[in-house]
């Protein structure tokens, strides 16, 4: 393999490709077709989720909501249970940290392999083939939800901490590799080439020229990924790997409502603290927001300027290695389980059982029906998430600086409440929302869509609110200076970019939502996730393989469709 560092100095850069000219009529036609397709999909999803004559509400289960609400102000404060909660919180935090570290190592190596800056303009065919295979493998790995990875790994490793760490490392590492590769390609490669031309070793040039230029962005993404890993570590509790998610699932299933509220409070405190810390570090080291990272976008000219490392950020970085060591010790992580004879035997048996794939009982109609239920759940969940975003998002955008007086104080108070609402929605895992929804609804599409919609609404609302915070206000001020009334100036200048942000992040989250349907299916909602859980429980691995392939095809189809719709609306 030949790194680009060995190549002679590159010729002058070719002129940037000109953008294809598209007429206004064609743009309008594209948007009308896209909007019609979205409307048709909504109508189809509603028809499928609400069949005529079907019974949806579980009247007997509604009484349990009253029991749950009645204990909201009486959480369990028993000393022994509080000790359990603290240990579970520490375990969740440790697993999220170790999983994030593993994902970042995979992402760094994979990103360097995928980066065009590091590789030559015309690498030999074995390199091109290797990168093609790697890209396909990363797509396949990240299309499987971390909870599904955990269920498989439990079969091979048992209830070992390695299960949670690997379940986070694999899909998050695949996502990080893509982001890191794009980040490496976005920086100028002149310093790297200069070092090589001066005789620097290949590895040294890479370390001194490429990594420092991208370090702020990579560090910013690392903390964003840690936030995601914390939420996913809670979800993994359903697989029995321990932590707050496991305790929460046990308390819900045993209907110990006072314990549920205590665990929810602990979860909110932990998630809120991590998000505040992550926001502080990201604002110090980079100019991108969480919303930018979520769709792989950089905007150094529009965001906040880096302010240099504060004392808290320097302290955070200094404590990183001791924290990783402490987390390793706390969960008792041992890589020896990966190479044991039992692991090899069970892993080989699992792979042989998965092949060849087989259809479930009922054949193609059952598999296709589960796939359609999956898409329906995701569509309805996004409808609820968008509604939450439109209701809460405008108030969750940080008030602009420079305002004073009672009105400004009131606006800040509303902002704090709106952010707290979104934090609650996204901190409680969708599996827990689904278990609660299944108290009042019969298993099916509706409880799954409701659970995913609440969870996704918390995330989408935050992403959109952060994007709205960075909008350029000069057009609005110019209209007001020209005599346009304040309300009209705001509507005319702010609506188009606000709608663009909402559409972009909604389409992005829709792709994630399709993937997340697997986890509400595991607790009994509907779709491919439910079919997967049933077949796993029956050790029917050939059918499990078919369900996974169907999930992969659905994810690829939705991702391709979303990319086309975004392109059509952006033109």
């Amino acid at each position: 393999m030949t790194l680009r560092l060995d190549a002679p100095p590159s010729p002058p850069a070719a002129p940037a490709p000109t953008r294809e000219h598209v007429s206004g009529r064609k743009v309008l036609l594209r948007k009308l077709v896209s909007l019609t397709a979205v409307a048709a999909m909504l109508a189809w999803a509603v028809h499928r989720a609400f069949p005529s004559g079907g019974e949806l509400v579980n009247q007997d289960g509604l009484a349990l909501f009253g029991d749950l609400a009645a204990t909201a102000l009486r959480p369990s404060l028993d000393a022994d249970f509080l000790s359990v909660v603290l240990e579970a919180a520490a375990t969740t935090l440790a697993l999220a940290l170790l999983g994030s570290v593993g994902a970042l190592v995979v992402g760094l190596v994979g990103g360097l392999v995928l980066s065009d800056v590091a590789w030559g303009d015309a690498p030999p065919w074995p390199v091109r083939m290797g990168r093609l295979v790697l890209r396909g493998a990363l797509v396949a790995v990240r299309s499987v939800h971390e909870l599904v990875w955990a269920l498989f790994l439990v079969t091979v490793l048992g209830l070992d901490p390695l299960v949670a760490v690997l379940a986070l490392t694999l899909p998050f590492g695949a996502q990080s590799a893509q982001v890191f590769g794009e980040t490496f390609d976005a920086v100028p490669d002149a310093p790297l080439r200069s070092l090589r031309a001066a005789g620097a070793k290949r590895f040294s040039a890479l370390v001194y020229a490429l990594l420092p230029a991208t370090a702020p962005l990579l560090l910013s993404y690392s903390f964003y990924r840690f936030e995601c890993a914390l939420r996913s570590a809670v979800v993994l509790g359903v697989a029995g790997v321990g932590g707050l998610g496991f305790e929460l699932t046990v308390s819900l299933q045993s209907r110990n409502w006072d314990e549920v509220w205590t665990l929810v409070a602990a979860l909110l405190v932990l998630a809120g603290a991590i998000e505040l810390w992550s926001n502080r570090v990201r604002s110090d080291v980079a100019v991108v927001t969480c919303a930018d990272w979520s769709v792989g976008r950089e905007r150094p000219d529009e965001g906040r300027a880096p302010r240099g490392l504060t004392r808290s950020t320097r302290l955070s970085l200094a404590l990183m290695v001791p924290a990783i060591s402490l987390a390793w010790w706390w969960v008792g992580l041992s890589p020896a389980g990966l190479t044991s004879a039992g692991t090899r035997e069970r892993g080989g048996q699992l792979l042989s059982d998965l092949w060849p794939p087989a259809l479930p009982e009922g054949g193609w109609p059952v598999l296709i029906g589960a796939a359609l239920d999956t898409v329906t759940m995701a569509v309805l969940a996004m409808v609820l998430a968008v509604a939450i975003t439109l209701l809460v998002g405008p108030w969750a955008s940080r008030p602009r600086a420079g305002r004073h007086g009672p009105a400004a104080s009131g606006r800040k108070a509303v902002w704090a409440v709106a952010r707290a609402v979104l934090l609650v929605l996204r901190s409680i895992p969708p599996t827990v929302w689904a278990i609660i929804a299944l108290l009042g609804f019969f298993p099916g599409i509706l409880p799954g869509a409701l659970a995913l919609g609440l969870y996704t609404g918390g995330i989408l609302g935050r992403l959109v609110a952060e994007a709205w915070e960075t909008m350029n206000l000069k057009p609005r001020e110019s209209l007001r200076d020209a005599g346009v009334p304040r309300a009209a100036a705001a509507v005319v200048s702010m609506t188009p970019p606000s709608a663009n942000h909402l559409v972009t992040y909604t389409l992005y989250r829709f792709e994630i939502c399709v993937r997340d349907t697997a986890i509400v299916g595991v607790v009994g909602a509907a779709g491919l996730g439910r079919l997967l859980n049933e077949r796993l429980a029956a050790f029917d691995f050939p059918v499990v393989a078919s369900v996974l392939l169907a999930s992969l095809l659905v994810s690829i189809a939705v991702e391709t469709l979303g990319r086309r719709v975004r392109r059509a609306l952006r033109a």
Side-chain angles (χ1 to χ4, degrees):
M1 295 186 292
T2 304
L3 284 177
R4 190 175 182 176
L5 305 180
D6 294 326
S10 59
T18 57
R19 194 171 183 177
E20 180 187 1
H21 175 72
V22 181
S23 65
R25 185 177 180 180
K26 194 171 183 179
V27 170
L28 179 61
L29 182 61
R30 285 181 180 178
K31 292 186 177 181
L32 286 176
V33 170
S34 299
L35 292 176
T36 303
V38 171
M41 182 176 288
L42 286 177
W44 168 78
V46 171
H47 176 73
R48 187 174 181 83
F50 298 92
S52 59
E55 192 175 6
L56 300 175
V57 179
N58 181 5
Q59 299 292 342
D60 295 335
L62 289 178
L64 297 176
F65 280 114
D67 297 338
L68 178 63
T71 56
L73 300 179
R74 293 184 285 107
S76 175
L77 299 178
D78 180 75
D80 292 338
F81 183 68
L82 290 179
S83 175
V84 171
V85 173
L86 287 176
E87 289 184 8
T91 300
T92 297
L93 193 60
L95 293 176
L97 178 60
L98 295 173
S100 299
V101 172
L104 295 175
V105 171
V106 173
L108 185 61
V109 175
L112 286 173
V113 173
L114 296 178
S115 171
D116 291 330
V117 169
W119 293 93
D121 296 329
W125 70 266
V127 175
R128 295 198 301 271
M129 289 298 297
R131 294 173 67 178
L132 185 64
V133 171
L134 178 61
R135 288 183 191 278
L138 292 178
V139 170
V141 168
R142 68 171 179 259
S143 68
V144 179
H145 195 278
E146 43 271 25
L147 178 56
V148 178
W149 278 114
L151 293 174
F152 273 110
L153 290 168
V154 163
T155 305
V156 177
L157 298 170
L159 294 178
D160 190 284
L162 270 174
V163 170
V165 175
L166 290 176
L168 294 173
T169 295
L170 292 172
F172 284 6
Q175 295 171 20
S176 300
Q178 180 189 6
V179 173
F180 283 8
E182 293 173 354
T183 303
F184 292 143
D185 290 343
V187 299
D189 61 349
L192 188 138
R193 289 177 173 276
S194 299
L195 283 179
R196 285 298 294 157
K201 298 289 186 183
R202 178 186 310 170
F203 180 75
S204 300
L206 204 62
V207 169
Y208 285 103
L210 189 60
L211 294 184
T214 55
L217 295 176
L218 299 186
L219 190 58
S220 174
Y221 178 80
S222 301
F223 277 87
Y224 163 68
R225 184 49 61 194
F226 180 50
E227 289 181 38
C228 301
L230 182 69
R231 289 194 291 267
S232 294
V234 177
V235 172
L236 296 185
V238 176
V241 298
L244 284 174
F246 174 74
E247 298 295 339
L248 197 52
T249 303
V250 170
S251 295
L252 274 168
Q253 292 176 341
S254 57
R255 300 179 183 177
N256 292 326
W257 306 127
D258 54 343
E259 294 180 0
V260 169
W261 288 112
T262 304
L263 289 163
V264 167
L267 189 57
L268 295 178
V269 170
L270 184 61
I274 294 300
E275 286 196 13
L276 285 175
W277 176 45
S278 177
N279 287 340
R280 180 62 178 271
V281 173
R282 287 205 314 272
S283 65
D284 282 351
V285 302
V287 292
V288 292
T289 66
C290 181
D292 298 316
W293 274 126
S294 64
V295 293
R297 185 175 68 180
E298 302 171 28
R299 50 180 180 185
D301 296 328
E302 299 176 15
R304 292 164 287 183
R307 300 176 301 181
L309 298 184
T310 61
R311 178 183 299 179
S312 60
T313 300
R314 292 196 298 270
L315 180 63
S316 300
L317 296 176
L319 292 177
M320 194 56 64
V321 173
I324 294 171
S325 303
L326 182 61
W328 194 292
W329 168 80
W330 177 261
V331 300
L333 193 65
S334 174
L338 286 175
T339 57
S340 69
T343 299
R344 292 196 299 273
E345 181 182 355
R346 289 188 292 271
Q349 183 64 42
L350 177 61
L351 291 177
S352 65
D353 289 343
L354 285 169
W355 193 264
L359 290 173
E361 186 178 358
W364 284 106
V366 172
L367 188 62
I368 294 175
L372 294 178
D373 285 347
T374 292
V375 177
T376 303
M377 268 196 300
V379 170
L380 296 181
M382 290 313 302
V383 172
L384 178 58
V386 170
I388 292 172
T389 300
L390 292 175
L391 287 174
V392 184
W395 308 106
S397 295
R398 188 184 299 275
R400 302 281 178 169
R403 296 181 178 178
H404 304 285
S409 300
R411 176 67 181 87
K412 289 181 180 177
V414 172
W415 167 77
V417 172
R419 280 299 180 98
V421 170
L422 296 178
L423 175 66
V424 171
L425 292 176
R426 66 175 176 270
S427 297
I428 298 176
T431 48
V432 175
W433 284 122
I435 292 174
I436 295 174
L438 285 168
L439 295 178
F441 296 96
F442 288 109
I445 294 173
L446 199 57
L450 183 62
L452 282 175
L454 293 173
Y455 175 73
T456 307
I459 297 176
L460 182 65
R462 179 195 180 188
L463 296 176
V464 175
E466 285 188 350
W468 287 347
E469 289 173 0
T470 60
M471 285 173 53
N472 187 358
L473 299 182
K474 289 183 180 178
R476 187 188 68 178
E477 301 304 325
S478 299
L479 289 174
R480 291 177 59 182
D481 292 341
V484 177
R486 181 171 184 169
V491 170
V492 171
S493 63
M494 308 296 283
T495 299
S498 300
N500 183 50
H501 285 134
L502 179 61
V503 171
T504 298
Y505 294 121
T506 297
L507 291 173
Y508 160 73
R509 283 305 309 180
F510 177 61
E511 297 167 13
I512 303 296
C513 198
V514 170
R515 182 173 171 269
D516 284 349
T517 54
I519 56 178
V520 293
V522 167
V523 295
L528 290 170
R530 181 177 176 180
L531 184 58
L532 178 72
N533 190 48
E534 291 173 351
R535 294 301 89 199
L536 273 174
F539 300 101
D540 192 356
F541 291 108
V543 176
V544 167
S546 296
V547 175
L548 288 177
L549 289 174
S551 299
L552 176 62
L553 292 177
V554 170
S555 297
I556 293 175
V558 169
E559 187 174 337
T560 304
L561 178 64
R563 190 181 302 118
R564 287 182 175 275
V565 172
R566 281 199 299 270
R567 189 181 304 163
L569 296 178
R570 194 169 51 239

